[in-house]
Amino acid sequence: MSDKKSYYITTPIYYVNDKPHLGHAYTTIACDTMARHKRLDDYDVYFLTGTDEHGQKVQQAAEAKGIDPQTFTDEVSQTFRNLWPRLNITNDDFIRTTEDRHKKACQALWNKLVESGNIYLDSYGGWYAVRDEAYYGEDELTTNAAGKKVAPSGAECEWVEEESYFFKLSAWGDKLLDLYTKNPDFIQPDARRNEVISFVKSGLRDLSVSRTRLTWGVPVPNAPNHVMYVWIDALTNYISALGYPDESAPLYQKFWPANVHVVGKDILRFHAVYWPAFLMAAGIPVQHKVFAHGWWTIEGQKMSKSVGNVIAPDDLINNYGLDQSRYFVLREVPFGNDGDFSHDQAIARINSDLANGFGNLAQRTLSMIAKNCDGKVPAHGVFTKDDTALLDECYKNLIPNMRKEFDKFAFSRGLEGIWKLVNAANAYIDVQAPWCLKKTDVTRMETVLYVLAETIRCLGIAVQSVVPESAAKMLDQVAVPMDKRQYAHISPDNALVTGTELPAPTGVFPRIQPIDEKVA
Ligand code: MSP
């Protein structure tokens, strides 16, 4: 393995009780963007996703379909696995919790927790929400119209009483608070961090970590009638995929502890409280960071099957195009905040930034080069102040500004910065008016077109993590070799070479017709 800096990023592993939707696509697209960004910035990246296949919720979903859970999970897991290439996701591995390598890791972790005195047998009575696969305290619950107890998430709870193994979570409160203090970035964004800290400060109860009423799970070592609680099983995926319990496995050596677990805000507690407590108790280093993103509503409403407004990832691709969808979800809402998905806003954003912004810049420049410069990268004379100002933005500011934001998952702000350069380049072409220079000063026209083509090269490199396919087309059109597409190549040393033959230009970001217009 190379000696480049390593970067390990994970998505949550998705429950297989349901088909993939916008929420799953969102987390995965964001992680993919970060993984690509880090690769372009010369890191060795490991990017993991997968499916969470055990637990009561999945068992019930299989029963409802009248098939055995393994057949059921094989099918649904495959729909996730098939989806990711369609969204151009570059995960390095896909872990399933029903795989042997994973079960082995869970049992090894369990044994460590037993050996360190963190697990004991007792009996349990408490309120459990199957939908959330989580327990709630009596004080957290409300009662609905049907007289059922309801968790803060809206999920109905049932009273559960059984023999259970417990994890001594109550013993880890101070260590967790210490972890958050010593690593102020451990939980991001900051508002979420404060929520977690007050939850831990309010006192942690021991956690029931096994089930006897359920068979669909990883068997607890030496306790044949117990299976593990689905969350201890699920969280372990982050290390089982790297080869744990073999701590000398090359992937484990290189990539653990993870740089970041990206999760939705609803599952932050599991990742920022339970998981680091399990790890510390087992003597395993703790991940560096958890980033919790917000939730999408659809045209102001919660996404739900009963409302019938669930957006399937394929709907996004069909309506807007893949890169356009990736761009929209990352640009429209700051990562970490909740957002509302509106069809009109999607079209407006895609048309203004992609079609009229970057697309138009490329189209105007490249078609002029095709017509007036023999389809080759033009020569350039001495650069004027305006030329140098634009090129300096590319060489000196583009990547540092974007890196600063993307490294914090501030994709929206990072893209806003990149589009300042797109707009500056469009303003430059308007002011320089190469179509007029064509008649008055061909040498100057060539210089202007050169500066624009070089700006497109730099922009194309910069946006690859977000709109990979379109960026590749853009870079092909200015004939950038495949091995010259890293951020480090945004420098005058790698500038376009006069005389290089360019392919015939084709539009990269078409304008999208609003659906009503399409029908009409
Ligand atoms: N299986 C657990 C995770 C285990 S990780 C060790 C799980 N799975 S899930 O399929 O229910 O959810 C996966 C992710 O999708 C979560 O991060 C959740 O926040 C995200 N989303 C589900 N609906 C969403 C929206 N409407 N909007 C944005 N993300 C949402 O939880």
Side-chain angles (χ1 to χ4, degrees), residues 283-350:
I284 299 174
V286 169
Q287 80 267 22
H288 290 299
K289 184 182 300 211
V290 184
F291 193 104
H293 67 70
W295 269 47
W296 285 97
T297 48
I298 312 298
E299 311 279 353
Q301 277 189 298
K302 198 172 172 223
M303 188 163 59
S304 94
K305 271 196 246 169
S306 50
V307 180
N309 62 352
V310 176
I311 296 190
D314 284 318
D315 298 341
L316 286 178
I317 306 176
N318 296 337
N319 285 341
Y320 310 110
L322 171 57
D323 282 351
Q324 286 83 349
S325 305
R326 290 175 60 116
Y327 179 80
F328 175 70
V329 294
L330 295 180
R331 172 64 186 89
E332 195 66 12
V333 175
F335 199 60
N337 293 10
D338 290 334
D340 185 46
F341 195 100
S342 127
H343 176 67
D344 290 344
Q345 259 166 293
I347 299 227
R349 171 66 73 188
I350 290 165

Coordinates of all heavy atoms in Angstrom, one line a residue, residues 283-350:
G283 N -11.1 -1.6 24.1 CA -9.7 -1.2 23.9 C -9.3 -1.0 22.5 O -8.2 -1.1 22.0
I284 N -10.3 -0.5 21.7 CA -10.1 -0.2 20.3 C -10.1 1.3 20.1 O -11.0 1.9 20.7 CB -11.2 -0.9 19.4 CG1 -11.2 -2.4 19.6 CG2 -11.1 -0.5 17.9 CD1 -12.3 -3.2 18.9
P285 N -9.2 1.8 19.2 CA -9.2 3.3 19.1 C -10.6 3.7 18.5 O -11.2 3.0 17.7 CB -8.1 3.5 18.0 CG -7.3 2.3 18.0 CD -8.1 1.2 18.5
V286 N -11.0 4.9 18.9 CA -12.3 5.5 18.5 C -12.1 6.3 17.2 O -11.1 6.9 16.9 CB -12.7 6.4 19.7 CG1 -13.9 7.3 19.3 CG2 -13.0 5.6 20.9
Q287 N -13.2 6.2 16.4 CA -13.2 7.0 15.2 C -12.9 8.5 15.4 O -13.1 9.0 16.6 CB -14.6 6.9 14.5 CG -15.7 7.8 15.0 CD -16.5 7.1 16.1 OE1 -16.1 6.1 16.7 NE2 -17.7 7.6 16.3
H288 N -12.5 9.2 14.4 CA -12.1 10.6 14.6 C -13.3 11.5 14.6 O -13.3 12.6 15.3 CB -11.2 11.1 13.5 CG -9.8 10.5 13.6 ND1 -9.0 10.7 14.7 CD2 -9.1 9.7 12.7 CE1 -7.9 10.0 14.5 NE2 -7.9 9.4 13.3
K289 N -14.4 11.2 13.9 CA -15.4 12.2 13.8 C -16.8 11.5 13.4 O -16.8 10.5 12.7 CB -15.1 13.2 12.7 CG -16.1 14.3 12.5 CD -15.7 15.3 11.4 CE -14.3 15.9 11.7 NZ -14.2 17.2 11.2
V290 N -17.9 12.1 13.8 CA -19.2 11.7 13.3 C -19.8 13.0 12.8 O -19.8 14.0 13.4 CB -20.1 11.2 14.4 CG1 -21.4 10.8 13.9 CG2 -19.4 10.1 15.2
F291 N -20.3 13.0 11.5 CA -21.0 14.1 11.0 C -22.4 13.8 10.7 O -22.7 12.8 10.1 CB -20.3 14.6 9.6 CG -20.8 15.9 9.2 CD1 -20.0 17.0 9.3 CD2 -22.1 16.1 8.7 CE1 -20.4 18.3 9.0 CE2 -22.6 17.4 8.4 CZ -21.7 18.5 8.5
A292 N -23.3 14.6 11.3 CA -24.7 14.3 11.2 C -25.4 15.3 10.2 O -25.3 16.5 10.4 CB -25.4 14.3 12.6
H293 N -26.0 14.7 9.2 CA -26.7 15.6 8.2 C -28.1 15.7 8.6 O -28.7 14.9 9.4 CB -26.4 15.1 6.8 CG -27.1 13.8 6.5 ND1 -28.4 13.7 6.3 CD2 -26.5 12.6 6.2 CE1 -28.7 12.4 6.0 NE2 -27.5 11.7 6.0
G294 N -28.8 16.6 7.9 CA -30.2 16.8 8.2 C -31.1 16.0 7.3 O -30.6 15.1 6.6
W295 N -32.4 16.2 7.4 CA -33.4 15.4 6.6 C -34.1 16.2 5.6 O -34.3 17.4 5.7 CB -34.4 14.9 7.6 CG -34.0 13.5 8.2 CD1 -32.8 13.2 8.6 CD2 -34.8 12.4 8.2 NE1 -32.8 11.9 9.0 CE2 -34.0 11.3 8.8 CE3 -36.2 12.1 7.9 CZ2 -34.5 10.0 9.0 CZ3 -36.6 10.8 8.1 CH2 -35.8 9.8 8.7
W296 N -34.4 15.6 4.5 CA -35.2 16.2 3.4 C -36.7 16.0 3.7 O -37.1 14.9 4.0 CB -34.9 15.5 2.1 CG -33.5 15.9 1.5 CD1 -32.4 15.3 1.7 CD2 -33.3 17.1 0.8 NE1 -31.4 16.0 1.0 CE2 -31.9 17.1 0.5 CE3 -34.0 18.2 0.3 CZ2 -31.2 18.1 -0.2 CZ3 -33.4 19.2 -0.4 CH2 -32.0 19.2 -0.6
T297 N -37.5 17.1 3.5 CA -38.9 16.9 3.3 C -39.2 17.1 1.8 O -38.3 17.6 1.1 CB -39.7 18.0 4.1 OG1 -39.1 19.2 3.9 CG2 -39.6 17.7 5.6
I298 N -40.4 16.7 1.4 CA -40.7 16.9 0.0 C -41.8 17.9 -0.2 O -42.9 17.7 0.4 CB -41.1 15.5 -0.6 CG1 -40.2 14.4 -0.2 CG2 -41.3 15.6 -2.1 CD1 -38.8 14.6 -0.7
E299 N -41.6 19.0 -0.9 CA -42.5 20.0 -1.0 C -43.2 20.3 0.3 O -44.4 20.4 0.4 CB -43.6 19.7 -2.1 CG -43.0 19.2 -3.4 CD -42.6 20.3 -4.4 OE1 -42.8 21.5 -4.1 OE2 -42.0 19.9 -5.4
G300 N -42.4 20.4 1.4 CA -42.9 20.8 2.7 C -43.5 19.7 3.5 O -43.9 19.9 4.7
Q301 N -43.5 18.5 3.0 CA -44.1 17.4 3.8 C -43.0 16.3 4.1 O -42.1 16.1 3.3 CB -45.2 16.7 3.0 CG -46.5 17.4 3.1 CD -47.6 16.6 2.4 OE1 -47.5 16.3 1.2 NE2 -48.6 16.2 3.2
K302 N -43.3 15.6 5.2 CA -42.4 14.5 5.5 C -42.5 13.4 4.4 O -43.6 13.2 3.9 CB -42.9 13.9 6.8 CG -41.8 13.0 7.5 CD -42.2 12.6 8.9 CE -41.2 11.6 9.3 NZ -41.6 10.5 10.0
M303 N -41.4 12.8 4.0 CA -41.4 11.8 3.0 C -42.0 10.5 3.6 O -41.5 10.0 4.6 CB -40.0 11.6 2.5 CG -40.0 10.7 1.3 SD -38.4 10.8 0.4 CE -37.2 10.3 1.6
S304 N -43.1 10.0 3.1 CA -43.7 8.8 3.6 C -44.5 8.1 2.6 O -45.1 8.7 1.7 CB -44.5 9.1 4.9 OG -45.8 9.3 4.6
K305 N -44.5 6.7 2.8 CA -45.3 5.9 1.9 C -46.8 6.3 1.9 O -47.4 6.3 0.9 CB -45.1 4.4 2.3 CG -43.9 3.8 1.6 CD -44.0 2.3 1.7 CE -42.8 1.8 2.5 NZ -42.8 0.4 2.9
S306 N -47.3 6.6 3.1 CA -48.7 6.8 3.2 C -49.1 8.1 2.5 O -50.1 8.2 1.9 CB -49.2 6.8 4.6 OG -48.4 7.7 5.4
V307 N -48.2 9.1 2.5 CA -48.4 10.4 1.7 C -48.2 10.1 0.2 O -48.8 10.8 -0.6 CB -47.5 11.5 2.2 CG1 -47.8 12.8 1.5 CG2 -47.7 11.8 3.7
G308 N -47.4 9.1 -0.1 CA -47.1 8.7 -1.5 C -46.2 9.7 -2.1 O -46.2 9.9 -3.3
N309 N -45.3 10.3 -1.3 CA -44.3 11.3 -1.9 C -42.9 10.8 -1.8 O -42.0 11.6 -1.8 CB -44.5 12.6 -1.2 CG -44.2 12.6 0.3 OD1 -44.0 11.5 0.8 ND2 -44.1 13.7 0.9
V310 N -42.7 9.5 -1.7 CA -41.3 9.0 -1.5 C -40.6 9.2 -2.9 O -41.1 8.7 -3.9 CB -41.3 7.5 -1.1 CG1 -39.9 7.0 -1.1 CG2 -42.0 7.4 0.3
I311 N -39.4 9.8 -2.9 CA -38.7 10.0 -4.1 C -37.7 8.8 -4.2 O -36.8 8.7 -3.4 CB -38.0 11.3 -4.1 CG1 -39.0 12.5 -4.1 CG2 -37.1 11.4 -5.3 CD1 -38.4 13.8 -4.4
A312 N -37.8 8.0 -5.3 CA -36.9 7.0 -5.5 C -35.7 7.6 -6.3 O -35.9 8.5 -7.1 CB -37.5 5.9 -6.4
P313 N -34.5 7.1 -6.0 CA -33.3 7.7 -6.7 C -33.4 7.7 -8.2 O -33.0 8.6 -8.8 CB -32.2 6.7 -6.2 CG -32.6 6.2 -4.9 CD -34.1 6.1 -5.0
D314 N -34.1 6.6 -8.8 CA -34.3 6.6 -10.2 C -35.1 7.8 -10.7 O -35.0 8.3 -11.8 CB -34.8 5.3 -10.7 CG -33.7 4.2 -10.7 OD1 -32.6 4.5 -11.1 OD2 -34.0 3.1 -10.2
D315 N -36.1 8.2 -9.9 CA -36.9 9.4 -10.3 C -36.0 10.6 -10.5 O -36.2 11.4 -11.4 CB -38.0 9.7 -9.2 CG -38.9 8.6 -9.0 OD1 -39.1 7.7 -9.8 OD2 -39.6 8.6 -7.9
L316 N -35.1 10.7 -9.5 CA -34.2 11.9 -9.6 C -33.4 11.9 -10.9 O -33.4 12.9 -11.6 CB -33.1 11.8 -8.5 CG -33.6 12.2 -7.1 CD1 -32.4 12.0 -6.1 CD2 -34.1 13.6 -7.0
I317 N -32.8 10.7 -11.2 CA -32.0 10.6 -12.4 C -32.8 10.9 -13.7 O -32.4 11.6 -14.6 CB -31.3 9.2 -12.5 CG1 -30.6 8.9 -11.2 CG2 -30.4 9.1 -13.7 CD1 -30.0 7.5 -11.2
N318 N -34.0 10.3 -13.7 CA -34.9 10.5 -14.9 C -35.4 11.9 -15.0 O -35.5 12.4 -16.1 CB -36.1 9.5 -14.8 CG -35.6 8.1 -14.9 OD1 -34.5 7.8 -15.3 ND2 -36.4 7.2 -14.3
N319 N -35.7 12.6 -13.9 CA -36.2 13.9 -14.0 C -35.2 15.0 -14.3 O -35.4 15.9 -15.1 CB -36.9 14.3 -12.8 CG -38.3 13.7 -12.6 OD1 -38.8 13.2 -13.6 ND2 -38.8 13.6 -11.4
Y320 N -34.0 14.8 -13.7 CA -33.1 15.9 -13.7 C -31.7 15.6 -14.3 O -30.9 16.4 -14.7 CB -32.8 16.5 -12.3 CG -34.1 16.8 -11.5 CD1 -34.5 16.0 -10.5 CD2 -34.9 17.8 -11.9 CE1 -35.7 16.3 -9.8 CE2 -36.1 18.1 -11.2 CZ -36.4 17.3 -10.2 OH -37.6 17.6 -9.5
G321 N -31.4 14.3 -14.4 CA -30.1 13.8 -14.8 C -29.3 13.6 -13.5 O -29.6 14.1 -12.4
L322 N -28.3 12.6 -13.6 CA -27.6 12.2 -12.4 C -26.8 13.4 -11.8 O -26.9 13.7 -10.6 CB -26.7 11.0 -12.7 CG -25.8 10.6 -11.6 CD1 -26.5 10.3 -10.3 CD2 -24.9 9.4 -12.0
D323 N -25.9 13.9 -12.6 CA -25.0 15.0 -12.0 C -25.8 16.2 -11.6 O -25.5 16.8 -10.6 CB -24.0 15.4 -13.1 CG -22.8 14.4 -13.2 OD1 -22.8 13.5 -12.3 OD2 -22.0 14.5 -14.1
Q324 N -26.9 16.5 -12.3 CA -27.7 17.6 -11.9 C -28.3 17.3 -10.5 O -28.4 18.2 -9.7 CB -28.8 17.8 -12.9 CG -28.4 18.4 -14.3 CD -27.8 17.4 -15.2 OE1 -27.5 16.2 -14.9 NE2 -27.6 17.8 -16.5
S325 N -28.7 16.1 -10.3 CA -29.3 15.8 -9.0 C -28.3 15.8 -7.9 O -28.5 16.3 -6.8 CB -29.9 14.3 -9.0 OG -30.8 14.2 -10.1
R326 N -27.1 15.3 -8.2 CA -26.0 15.3 -7.2 C -25.7 16.8 -6.8 O -25.5 17.1 -5.7 CB -24.7 14.7 -7.7 CG -24.8 13.1 -7.9 CD -23.5 12.5 -8.5 NE -22.3 12.8 -7.8 CZ -21.6 11.9 -7.2 NH1 -21.9 10.6 -7.4 NH2 -20.5 12.2 -6.6
Y327 N -25.6 17.6 -7.9 CA -25.3 19.0 -7.7 C -26.4 19.7 -6.8 O -26.1 20.4 -5.8 CB -25.1 19.8 -9.0 CG -24.8 21.2 -8.8 CD1 -23.5 21.6 -8.6 CD2 -25.9 22.2 -8.9 CE1 -23.3 23.0 -8.4 CE2 -25.6 23.5 -8.7 CZ -24.3 23.9 -8.5 OH -24.0 25.3 -8.3
F328 N -27.6 19.4 -7.2 CA -28.7 20.1 -6.5 C -28.7 19.8 -5.0 O -28.8 20.7 -4.2 CB -30.1 19.8 -7.1 CG -31.2 20.3 -6.4 CD1 -31.5 21.7 -6.4 CD2 -32.1 19.5 -5.6 CE1 -32.5 22.2 -5.7 CE2 -33.1 20.0 -4.9 CZ -33.3 21.4 -4.9
V329 N -28.7 18.5 -4.7 CA -28.8 18.2 -3.2 C -27.6 18.7 -2.4 O -27.8 19.1 -1.3 CB -29.0 16.7 -3.0 CG1 -30.4 16.2 -3.5 CG2 -27.9 15.8 -3.5
L330 N -26.5 18.8 -3.0 CA -25.3 19.3 -2.3 C -25.3 20.8 -2.3 O -24.8 21.4 -1.3 CB -24.0 18.7 -2.8 CG -23.9 17.2 -2.7 CD1 -22.6 16.7 -3.3 CD2 -24.0 16.8 -1.2
R331 N -25.8 21.5 -3.3 CA -25.6 22.9 -3.4 C -26.8 23.6 -2.7 O -26.6 24.7 -2.1 CB -25.6 23.3 -4.9 CG -25.7 24.8 -5.1 CD -24.5 25.6 -4.6 NE -24.6 27.0 -4.7 CZ -25.2 27.8 -3.8 NH1 -25.7 27.3 -2.7 NH2 -25.2 29.1 -4.0
E332 N -28.0 23.0 -2.7 CA -29.2 23.7 -2.3 C -29.2 23.9 -0.8 O -29.6 25.0 -0.3 CB -30.4 23.0 -2.8 CG -31.7 23.8 -2.7 CD -31.7 25.0 -3.7 OE1 -30.9 25.0 -4.5 OE2 -32.6 25.8 -3.5
V333 N -28.8 22.9 0.0 CA -29.0 23.0 1.4 C -27.6 22.7 2.1 O -27.0 21.7 1.8 CB -30.0 21.9 1.9 CG1 -30.1 21.8 3.4 CG2 -31.3 22.1 1.2
P334 N -27.2 23.6 3.0 CA -26.0 23.3 3.7 C -26.0 21.9 4.4 O -27.0 21.6 5.1 CB -25.9 24.4 4.8 CG -26.8 25.5 4.2 CD -27.9 24.8 3.5
F335 N -25.0 21.1 4.2 CA -24.9 19.8 4.7 C -24.9 19.9 6.2 O -24.1 20.6 6.8 CB -23.7 19.1 4.2 CG -23.8 17.6 4.3 CD1 -24.7 16.9 3.6 CD2 -22.8 16.9 5.1 CE1 -24.8 15.5 3.7 CE2 -22.9 15.5 5.1 CZ -23.9 14.8 4.5
G336 N -25.9 19.2 6.9 CA -26.1 19.4 8.3 C -27.5 20.0 8.6 O -28.1 19.6 9.6
N337 N -28.0 20.8 7.7 CA -29.3 21.4 7.9 C -30.4 20.5 7.3 O -30.1 19.7 6.4 CB -29.4 22.7 7.2 CG -28.5 23.8 7.8 OD1 -27.7 23.5 8.7 ND2 -28.7 25.0 7.4
D338 N -31.6 20.7 7.7 CA -32.7 20.0 7.1 C -33.0 20.8 5.8 O -32.7 22.0 5.7 CB -34.0 20.1 7.9 CG -33.9 19.2 9.1 OD1 -33.2 18.2 9.1 OD2 -34.6 19.5 10.1
G339 N -33.6 20.1 4.8 CA -33.9 20.8 3.6 C -35.2 20.4 3.0 O -35.7 19.3 3.3
D340 N -35.8 21.2 2.1 CA -37.0 20.8 1.5 C -36.8 20.6 0.0 O -36.2 21.5 -0.7 CB -38.1 21.9 1.7 CG -39.4 21.5 1.1 OD1 -39.8 20.3 1.4 OD2 -40.1 22.3 0.4
F341 N -37.2 19.5 -0.5 CA -37.0 19.2 -1.9 C -38.2 19.8 -2.7 O -39.3 19.3 -2.5 CB -36.9 17.7 -2.1 CG -36.3 17.4 -3.5 CD1 -35.0 17.0 -3.6 CD2 -37.1 17.4 -4.6 CE1 -34.5 16.7 -4.8 CE2 -36.6 17.1 -5.8 CZ -35.3 16.8 -6.0
S342 N -37.9 20.7 -3.6 CA -39.0 21.3 -4.4 C -38.6 21.2 -5.8 O -37.5 21.5 -6.2 CB -39.3 22.7 -3.9 OG -39.3 23.6 -5.1
H343 N -39.5 20.7 -6.6 CA -39.3 20.5 -8.0 C -38.9 21.8 -8.7 O -37.9 21.8 -9.5 CB -40.6 19.9 -8.7 CG -40.5 19.7 -10.1 ND1 -39.6 18.8 -10.7 CD2 -41.1 20.3 -11.1 CE1 -39.7 18.8 -12.0 NE2 -40.6 19.8 -12.3
D344 N -39.6 22.8 -8.4 CA -39.4 24.1 -9.1 C -38.0 24.6 -8.7 O -37.3 25.2 -9.5 CB -40.4 25.2 -8.6 CG -41.8 24.9 -9.3 OD1 -41.8 24.0 -10.2 OD2 -42.8 25.4 -8.8
Q345 N -37.6 24.5 -7.4 CA -36.3 24.9 -7.0 C -35.2 24.1 -7.7 O -34.1 24.7 -8.0 CB -36.2 24.8 -5.5 CG -36.3 26.1 -4.8 CD -36.5 25.9 -3.3 OE1 -37.5 25.4 -2.9 NE2 -35.6 26.3 -2.6
A346 N -35.4 22.8 -7.8 CA -34.4 22.0 -8.4 C -34.2 22.5 -9.9 O -33.0 22.7 -10.3 CB -34.9 20.5 -8.4
I347 N -35.3 22.7 -10.6 CA -35.1 23.1 -12.0 C -34.4 24.5 -12.1 O -33.5 24.7 -12.9 CB -36.5 23.2 -12.7 CG1 -37.1 21.8 -12.6 CG2 -36.4 23.8 -14.1 CD1 -37.6 21.3 -13.9
A348 N -34.9 25.4 -11.2 CA -34.3 26.7 -11.2 C -32.8 26.7 -10.9 O -32.0 27.3 -11.6 CB -35.0 27.6 -10.2
R349 N -32.4 25.9 -9.9 CA -31.0 25.8 -9.6 C -30.2 25.2 -10.7 O -29.1 25.7 -11.0 CB -30.9 25.0 -8.3 CG -29.5 24.6 -7.8 CD -28.7 25.8 -7.4 NE -29.1 26.4 -6.2 CZ -28.5 27.6 -5.7 NH1 -27.6 28.2 -6.4 NH2 -28.9 28.0 -4.5
I350 N -30.7 24.1 -11.2 CA -29.9 23.4 -12.3 C -29.8 24.3 -13.5 O -28.7 24.4 -14.1 CB -30.7 22.0 -12.6 CG1 -30.5 21.1 -11.4 CG2 -30.1 21.4 -13.9 CD1 -31.5 19.9 -11.4

